[in-house]
Coordinates of all heavy atoms in Angstrom, one line a residue:
A281 N -107.9 8.1 -18.2 CA -109.0 8.8 -18.9 C -108.7 9.8 -19.8 O -109.3 10.0 -20.9 CB -109.9 9.3 -17.8
R282 N -107.6 10.6 -19.5 CA -107.2 11.7 -20.4 C -106.7 11.1 -21.8 O -106.9 11.7 -22.8 CB -106.0 12.5 -19.8 CG -105.4 13.6 -20.6 CD -106.5 14.6 -20.9 NE -106.0 15.5 -21.8 CZ -105.4 16.7 -21.4 NH1 -105.2 17.0 -20.1 NH2 -105.0 17.6 -22.3
T283 N -106.0 10.0 -21.8 CA -105.6 9.3 -23.1 C -106.9 9.1 -23.9 O -106.8 9.4 -25.1 CB -104.9 8.0 -22.8 OG1 -103.7 8.3 -21.9 CG2 -104.5 7.4 -24.1
E284 N -108.0 8.5 -23.3 CA -109.2 8.3 -24.1 C -109.8 9.5 -24.6 O -110.3 9.6 -25.6 CB -110.1 7.5 -23.2 CG -111.3 6.9 -23.9 CD -110.9 5.9 -24.9 OE1 -110.0 5.1 -24.8 OE2 -111.8 5.6 -25.8
V285 N -109.9 10.6 -23.7 CA -110.5 11.8 -24.0 C -109.8 12.5 -25.2 O -110.4 13.0 -26.1 CB -110.7 12.7 -22.8 CG1 -111.1 14.2 -23.2 CG2 -111.6 12.1 -21.7
D286 N -108.5 12.5 -25.1 CA -107.6 13.2 -26.1 C -107.8 12.5 -27.4 O -107.9 13.2 -28.4 CB -106.2 13.2 -25.8 CG -105.8 14.0 -24.6 OD1 -106.6 14.9 -24.3 OD2 -104.7 13.8 -24.1
A287 N -108.0 11.1 -27.5 CA -108.2 10.4 -28.7 C -109.6 10.7 -29.4 O -109.7 10.8 -30.5 CB -107.9 8.9 -28.5
R288 N -110.5 10.9 -28.5 CA -111.9 11.1 -28.9 C -112.2 12.5 -29.2 O -113.0 12.8 -30.1 CB -112.9 10.6 -27.9 CG -112.9 9.0 -27.6 CD -114.0 8.6 -26.8 NE -114.0 7.2 -26.5 CZ -115.1 6.5 -26.3 NH1 -116.2 7.1 -26.2 NH2 -115.1 5.1 -26.1
H289 N -111.6 13.4 -28.5 CA -112.0 14.8 -28.7 C -110.7 15.7 -28.8 O -110.5 16.6 -27.9 CB -112.9 15.3 -27.5 CG -114.1 14.5 -27.4 ND1 -115.2 14.6 -28.2 CD2 -114.5 13.6 -26.4 CE1 -116.2 13.8 -27.9 NE2 -115.7 13.2 -26.8
P290 N -109.9 15.6 -29.9 CA -108.6 16.3 -29.9 C -109.0 17.8 -30.1 O -108.1 18.6 -30.0 CB -107.9 15.8 -31.1 CG -109.0 15.0 -31.9 CD -110.0 14.6 -30.9
D291 N -110.2 18.1 -30.6 CA -110.6 19.5 -31.0 C -110.9 20.3 -29.7 O -111.0 21.5 -29.8 CB -111.9 19.4 -31.8 CG -113.0 18.6 -31.2 OD1 -112.7 17.5 -30.7 OD2 -114.2 19.2 -31.3
L292 N -111.3 19.6 -28.6 CA -111.6 20.4 -27.4 C -110.4 21.1 -26.8 O -109.3 20.6 -26.9 CB -112.2 19.5 -26.3 CG -113.6 18.8 -26.7 CD1 -114.0 17.9 -25.5 CD2 -114.5 19.8 -26.9
A293 N -110.6 22.1 -26.1 CA -109.6 23.0 -25.3 C -108.9 22.1 -24.3 O -109.5 21.1 -23.8 CB -110.2 24.3 -24.8
E294 N -107.7 22.5 -23.9 CA -107.0 21.8 -22.9 C -107.8 21.6 -21.7 O -107.9 20.6 -21.0 CB -105.6 22.4 -22.6 CG -104.9 22.1 -21.4 CD -104.4 20.7 -21.3 OE1 -104.3 20.0 -22.5 OE2 -104.1 20.2 -20.3
V295 N -108.2 22.8 -21.3 CA -109.1 22.8 -19.9 C -110.2 21.9 -19.9 O -110.6 21.2 -18.9 CB -109.4 24.3 -19.5 CG1 -110.4 24.8 -20.4 CG2 -109.9 24.3 -18.1
E296 N -111.0 21.8 -21.0 CA -112.1 20.9 -21.1 C -111.8 19.5 -21.1 O -112.4 18.7 -20.5 CB -112.8 21.3 -22.5 CG -113.6 22.6 -22.5 CD -114.3 22.8 -23.8 OE1 -115.5 22.4 -23.9 OE2 -113.8 23.4 -24.8
R297 N -110.7 19.1 -21.8 CA -110.4 17.7 -21.8 C -109.8 17.3 -20.4 O -110.0 16.2 -19.9 CB -109.2 17.6 -22.8 CG -109.7 17.4 -24.3 CD -108.6 17.2 -25.2 NE -107.9 18.4 -25.5 CZ -106.4 18.5 -25.7 NH1 -105.7 17.4 -25.7 NH2 -105.9 19.6 -26.0
R298 N -109.1 18.2 -19.7 CA -108.7 17.9 -18.4 C -109.9 17.8 -17.4 O -109.9 16.8 -16.6 CB -107.7 19.2 -17.9 CG -107.1 18.8 -16.5 CD -105.9 19.8 -16.1 NE -106.5 21.1 -16.1 CZ -106.1 22.1 -16.9 NH1 -105.4 22.0 -17.9 NH2 -106.6 23.3 -16.7
T299 N -110.9 18.7 -17.5 CA -111.9 18.5 -16.7 C -112.8 17.3 -16.9 O -113.1 16.5 -15.9 CB -112.9 19.7 -16.9 OG1 -112.3 21.0 -16.6 CG2 -114.2 19.6 -16.1
I300 N -113.0 16.9 -18.2 CA -113.7 15.7 -18.6 C -113.0 14.4 -18.0 O -113.5 13.5 -17.4 CB -114.0 15.6 -19.9 CG1 -114.8 16.7 -20.5 CG2 -114.4 14.2 -20.5 CD1 -115.0 16.8 -22.0
A301 N -111.6 14.4 -18.3 CA -110.7 13.3 -17.7 C -110.9 13.2 -16.1 O -111.1 11.9 -15.6 CB -109.3 13.5 -18.1
S302 N -111.0 14.3 -15.4 CA -111.0 14.2 -14.0 C -112.5 13.7 -13.7 O -112.5 13.0 -12.8 CB -110.8 15.6 -13.4 OG -110.9 15.5 -12.0
Q303 N -113.5 14.3 -14.3 CA -114.9 13.7 -14.0 C -115.0 12.2 -14.2 O -115.6 11.5 -13.5 CB -115.9 14.5 -14.8 CG -115.9 16.0 -14.4 CD -116.8 16.7 -15.3 OE1 -116.9 16.5 -16.6 NE2 -117.5 17.7 -14.8
I304 N -114.4 11.7 -15.3 CA -114.5 10.2 -15.6 C -113.8 9.5 -14.6 O -114.2 8.5 -14.0 CB -114.0 10.0 -17.0 CG1 -114.9 10.6 -18.0 CG2 -113.8 8.5 -17.3 CD1 -114.3 10.6 -19.5
A305 N -112.6 9.9 -14.3 CA -111.7 9.3 -13.3 C -112.3 9.1 -11.9 O -112.4 8.1 -11.2 CB -110.3 9.9 -13.3
V306 N -112.8 10.3 -11.5 CA -113.5 10.3 -10.1 C -114.8 9.5 -10.2 O -115.2 8.8 -9.2 CB -113.8 11.8 -9.7 CG1 -114.7 11.8 -8.5 CG2 -112.6 12.6 -9.4
G307 N -115.6 9.6 -11.3 CA -116.7 8.8 -11.4 C -116.4 7.3 -11.4 O -117.1 6.5 -10.7
A308 N -115.3 6.9 -12.0 CA -114.9 5.6 -12.2 C -114.5 5.0 -10.7 O -115.0 3.9 -10.4 CB -113.8 5.4 -13.1
L309 N -113.8 5.8 -10.0 CA -113.2 5.4 -8.6 C -114.5 5.3 -7.7 O -114.6 4.4 -6.9 CB -112.3 6.4 -8.2 CG -111.7 6.1 -6.9 CD1 -111.2 4.8 -6.6 CD2 -110.6 7.2 -6.4
R310 N -115.3 6.4 -7.6 CA -116.3 6.4 -6.6 C -117.3 5.3 -7.0 O -117.8 4.6 -6.0 CB -117.1 7.8 -6.6 CG -116.2 9.0 -6.0 CD -117.0 10.2 -5.7 NE -118.2 10.0 -4.8 CZ -118.2 10.7 -3.7 NH1 -117.4 11.7 -3.4 NH2 -119.3 10.4 -2.8
Y311 N -117.7 5.1 -8.2 CA -118.7 4.1 -8.5 C -118.1 2.7 -8.1 O -118.8 1.7 -7.6 CB -119.1 4.2 -9.9 CG -120.3 3.2 -10.3 CD1 -121.5 3.7 -10.2 CD2 -120.1 1.9 -10.5 CE1 -122.7 3.0 -10.5 CE2 -121.3 1.0 -10.7 CZ -122.6 1.6 -10.7 OH -123.5 0.8 -10.9
F312 N -116.9 2.5 -8.5 CA -116.4 1.2 -8.1 C -116.3 0.9 -6.6 O -116.6 -0.3 -6.3 CB -114.8 1.2 -8.6 CG -114.2 -0.3 -8.8 CD1 -114.4 -1.0 -10.0 CD2 -113.6 -0.9 -7.7 CE1 -113.9 -2.2 -10.1 CE2 -113.0 -2.2 -7.8 CZ -113.3 -2.8 -9.0
M313 N -116.1 1.9 -5.8 CA -116.1 1.7 -4.4 C -117.6 1.5 -3.9 O -117.7 1.0 -2.7 CB -115.5 2.9 -3.7 CG -113.9 3.0 -3.9 SD -113.1 1.7 -3.2 CE -111.4 2.1 -3.6
L314 N -118.6 1.9 -4.7 CA -119.9 1.9 -4.2 C -120.8 0.8 -4.8 O -121.8 0.6 -4.2 CB -120.6 3.3 -4.5 CG -120.1 4.5 -3.8 CD1 -120.6 5.8 -4.4 CD2 -120.5 4.4 -2.2
R315 N -120.3 0.2 -5.9 CA -121.0 -0.9 -6.4 C -121.2 -2.1 -5.8 O -122.2 -2.9 -5.7 CB -120.6 -1.2 -7.8 CG -119.2 -1.8 -8.0 CD -118.7 -2.2 -9.3 NE -119.2 -3.4 -9.7 CZ -118.8 -4.1 -10.7 NH1 -117.7 -3.7 -11.4 NH2 -119.4 -5.3 -11.0
Y316 N -120.2 -2.4 -4.8 CA -120.2 -3.5 -4.1 C -120.9 -3.2 -2.6 O -120.6 -2.3 -2.0 CB -118.8 -4.0 -3.8 CG -118.0 -4.4 -5.0 CD1 -117.2 -3.5 -5.6 CD2 -118.2 -5.5 -5.6 CE1 -116.5 -3.7 -6.8 CE2 -117.5 -5.9 -6.8 CZ -116.6 -5.0 -7.3 OH -116.0 -5.3 -8.6
T317 N -121.7 -4.2 -2.1 CA -122.3 -4.1 -0.8 C -121.1 -4.0 0.2 O -120.0 -4.5 -0.1 CB -123.2 -5.2 -0.4 OG1 -122.5 -6.5 -0.7 CG2 -124.4 -5.1 -1.4

């Protein structure tokens, strides 16, 4: 996720990009585990 965030938002501060990457990763993982019955 960080690779994608860095490519899209190189202007953002390091801490912001790290936070966004973590939110995307956790969201991806939790949703993947929950989307299936």
